[in-house]
Amino acid sequence: MSDVYAKPLPPIDGLNAPFWAGARAGKLMLQRCLDCAQYRFPASRYCPSCLGERSEWQATSGQGMVVSYCGFHKAYWPSFAGDVPYDVVQVRLKEGVQLFSNLVDVPRERIKIGMKVRAHFDAVTDAVTLVRFKP
Amino acid sequence: MPSISNQTAIAGIGQSEYGRNLPDSQLKLGARALKAALDDAGLQREDIDGLSIHMGWPLGLDYDRVAEAYGLNTRWAAQTWLHGRFVTSALQQAAMAVACGLANVVACVTAISFTRERQILGGPGDHEGSREDGGTHGESPSYGLTAPAGGAAIAMQRYMAMYGATSEQLAAVPIAFRKHALLSPYATMKKPLTLADHQRARMVVDPLRLFDCCLVTDGAAVAIVTTMERARDMKKKPIPIAGMQGMRSGRDEFIFAPPNLGINQQPAHSRRFTAADNEVFAMAGVGLPDIDGLYTYDAFSPLILFVLERFGYCGPGDAAEWVQNGRIELGGELPMNTSGGLLSEAHVGGWNSILEMVRQLRGEVGPRQIPNAKHLQFSTCWGDSVILGNAL
């Protein structure tokens, strides 16, 4: 943790707050429709599958699979300048939703599409824990 | 319901100079392009009674300021913001407005000063990419997915893994467009590009190298749209809008990927597209073999592969091989972006390619002329399209 974290932080609002509170508690929380049981991401007030308005937040397995990745060699934000080149991955969770994130401690040459990963909770500030992944 | 096919036409075109760090403002470049387009059509400013602008916040001015600044009095306006998605959208709205009688003569105006405002193309100034932590191209800044190039790169990486496509194959796209740019008097890039140059160039967002990413330039372009009937009385040969279709949206779509590649929330499954999936062909009364040239919004070179598959020119996973051996070059089976596109001519929001299509169909482009061009198509990998015809 650091009070000089200069990278962009996710906007946490009333809708997605349970996701980020879950991350701080070491849980990958997803919103699930109480009418059709579909998980969804990002958070929304109604279900994109059935338009149902009732939902609950559930702790999930945190398990997923790498769907794709890319490697940033250019720092579009000055705060990433010390990190380039760094990789961004897209992970498909067992529950079906997909997230953009990063892998922890995996060099680029070992990233493979289809590799199984699990959530890793990275407290980057006192208030925000990012959801990254490990093999 | 009568078809809009061939009821409207592009009657005049004009542009400013294109280039990096131009001293003139966006509005001044636009004024120069408007004046040139009016001259081209043989019209006066008073004849313009509609505006369809492809600019606006965060990269420019709104329709009312444009009308006021150019001394126009218009009775219809449409506005998209300056985003690649909206090229044919702005053109189609103009066509629909004149076909429905809401305006007689619509000026489609795009004016860009990207080199003055490059900080908004990814990074802290990119409000579009930061909204709700999820931008149009998948931007997710807290995880470092901080620019549109990232969305195109993550789609290309998956495409490469699925189909075995390579960076060397992808290079055929910028190499082809550079050859075309060398024949365009308006082009920013003036030197040939080789495979070795492409492979030696720095990575921007792996697997996209420098020459897979478009130029950042300034410039303005104007196209004047009116009814076919009225266009026949103007100075230049009218170029009819033969067919059009809107952009696709929904969960199967991600802007920088073919449908269902599996990017962002797209469900992944392979799907072969045909001309029948794209109503633009039926509206224009043509098939794939009738298209003499294809134009697209080439912000990043993978988008060329994706549009070819989406419109049925080749099957899923085939495009990287399909574009080899000069097939998309002038003289090839399907020349694409024949003035160099965003990759090598200039980034004028894609409108430099619309102007090029009009010039091609008029037979005005000399060394880069597609012989006997009768139908040219502008399409994007997110699904919108316009087919322009040849009135002869």
Side-chain angles (χ1 to χ4, degrees):
Chain A
M1 283 188 220
S2 163
D3 54 0
V4 293
Y5 188 79
K7 290 173 189 166
L9 289 166
I12 299 177
D13 56 27
L15 210 51
N16 65 18
F19 178 89
W20 295 108
R24 284 185 70 193
K27 291 183 179 139
L28 206 170
M29 302 290 289
L30 283 180
Q31 208 179 5
R32 189 177 201 186
C33 179
L34 283 169
D35 293 324
C36 76
Q38 288 284 315
Y39 287 97
R40 64 187 192 245
F41 183 86
S44 64
R45 290 183 173 81
Y46 55 87
C47 172
S49 295
C50 75
L51 303 183
E53 296 180 15
R54 302 183 311 133
S55 69
E56 65 177 8
W57 286 86
Q58 287 189 352
T60 63
S61 67
Q63 293 175 9
M65 185 186 87
V66 172
V67 168
S68 194
Y69 58 99
C70 65
F72 275 75
H73 288 244
K74 173 173 172 171
Y76 289 86
W77 292 67
S79 49
F80 284 98
D83 294 355
V84 291
Y86 64 89
D87 298 303
V88 176
V89 295
Q90 180 182 317
V91 172
R92 181 177 174 84
L93 297 175
K94 268 174 78 175
E95 290 78 13
V97 307
Q98 308 201 107
L99 317 170
F100 292 114
S101 184
N102 311 110
L103 297 183
V104 178
D105 300 332
V106 182
R108 181 174 183 80
E109 59 276 12
R110 285 189 40 225
I111 303 176
K112 293 278 179 287
I113 289 175
M115 74 192 281
K116 289 193 165 57
V117 292
R118 62 192 158 78
H120 168 82
F121 299 95
D122 191 354
V124 296
T125 70
D126 289 341
V128 177
T129 296
L130 295 178
V131 180
R132 297 196 153 103
F133 289 86
K134 278 188 162 178
Chain B
M1 183 87 183
S3 169
I4 197 173
S5 177
N6 295 317
Q7 297 304 301
T8 66
I10 298 179
I13 53 169
Q15 63 169 89
S16 70
E17 67 273 43
Y18 304 153
R20 293 177 172 131
N21 303 306
L22 297 182
D24 290 323
S25 72
Q26 182 183 37
L27 209 52
K28 191 168 170 188
L29 295 169
R32 207 168 287 151
L34 176 66
K35 200 170 167 205
L38 289 168
D39 287 346
D40 190 55
L43 291 173
Q44 304 298 314
R45 255 193 313 183
E46 296 70 36
D47 296 315
I48 302 290
D49 64 350
L51 261 183
S52 180
I53 72 168
H54 182 214
M55 49 199 283
W57 191 92
L59 266 168
L61 302 154
D62 291 343
Y63 73 95
D64 46 358
R65 175 70 184 124
V66 170
E68 175 202 330
Y70 297 158
L72 303 174
N73 283 299
T74 53
R75 63 188 177 106
W76 178 85
Q79 174 167 351
T80 63
W81 70 98
L82 214 170
H83 201 287
R85 290 176 284 179
F86 300 127
V87 179
T88 77
S89 177
L91 183 59
Q92 292 182 24
Q93 288 181 63
M96 291 188 281
V98 299
C100 295
L102 295 173
N104 288 325
V105 181
V106 175
C108 301
V109 180
T110 298
I112 293 171
S113 296
F114 271 135
T115 51
R116 291 179 184 215
E117 304 187 71
R118 65 183 315 149
Q119 77 284 356
I120 79 164
L121 304 170
D126 180 3
H127 297 290
E128 190 185 349
S130 304
R131 60 187 178 191
E132 296 170 23
D133 207 29
T136 307
H137 321 90
E139 288 91 337
S140 201
S142 32
Y143 296 103
L145 191 51
T146 51
I154 216 161
M156 188 62 198
Q157 185 67 56
R158 182 166 168 82
Y159 183 92
M160 286 171 153
M162 285 174 69
Y163 301 118
T166 65
S167 170
E168 288 85 351
Q169 286 180 311
L170 188 59
V173 170
I175 290 170
F177 295 179
R178 182 63 60 85
K179 287 183 186 174
H180 298 165
L182 298 180
L183 301 173
S184 165
Y186 316 112
T188 305
M189 302 308 277
K190 306 285 190 196
K191 290 197 312 200
L193 179 69
T194 66
L195 178 60
D197 296 334
H198 178 273
Q199 291 294 301
R200 254 198 319 265
R202 64 184 164 87
M203 282 288 182
V204 177
V205 184
D206 195 344
L208 303 185
R209 296 174 182 277
L210 179 64
F211 297 113
D212 294 314
C213 303
C214 68
L215 300 168
V216 173
T217 58
D218 308 335
V222 169
I224 293 175
V225 175
T226 186
T227 61
M228 189 64 199
E229 187 183 4
R230 185 146 187 212
R232 283 200 187 92
D233 297 332
M234 293 185 190
K235 203 160 111 187
K236 290 276 181 76
K237 184 176 85 167
I239 300 304
I241 298 173
M244 47 198 211
Q245 73 179 39
M247 67 186 99
R248 309 324 201 192
S249 52
R251 272 179 287 168
D252 290 343
E253 302 289 343
F254 173 70
I255 189 162
F256 284 166
N260 299 115
L261 186 67
I263 305 303
N264 207 357
Q265 300 306 319
Q266 285 183 315
H269 57 84
S270 177
R271 176 174 168 198
R272 188 181 183 98
F273 279 80
T274 68
D277 293 307
N278 293 287
E279 65 268 21
V280 66
F281 294 108
M283 188 189 284
V286 299
L288 289 170
D290 300 310
I291 301 298
D292 300 306
L294 180 65
Y295 296 77
T296 195
Y297 189 87
D298 52 332
F300 303 101
S301 43
L303 308 190
I304 283 71
L305 309 187
F306 302 157
V307 73
L308 285 165
E309 297 183 8
R310 164 152 227 157
F311 281 82
Y313 287 97
C314 56
D318 295 340
E321 181 56 37
W322 201 90
V323 299
Q324 302 304 310
N325 304 313
R327 202 174 206 159
I328 60 168
E329 294 176 12
L330 283 162
E333 180 182 330
L334 185 73
M336 291 185 69
N337 290 13
T338 53
S339 60
L342 278 63
L343 285 168
S344 271
E345 186 182 43
H347 190 335
V348 192
W351 286 82
N352 46 315
S353 285
I354 299 284
L355 267 52
E356 169 71 4
M357 291 167 73
V358 170
R359 291 179 176 126
Q360 283 279 356
L361 289 163
R362 288 172 173 175
E364 291 179 346
V365 293
R368 60 181 200 283
Q369 184 67 48
I370 300 170
N372 306 310
K374 288 193 173 53
H375 290 98
L376 300 179
Q377 181 176 22
F378 189 102
S379 297
T380 66
C381 66
W382 46 97
D384 63 309
S385 184
V386 160
I387 292 175
L388 300 182
N390 187 317
L392 283 181

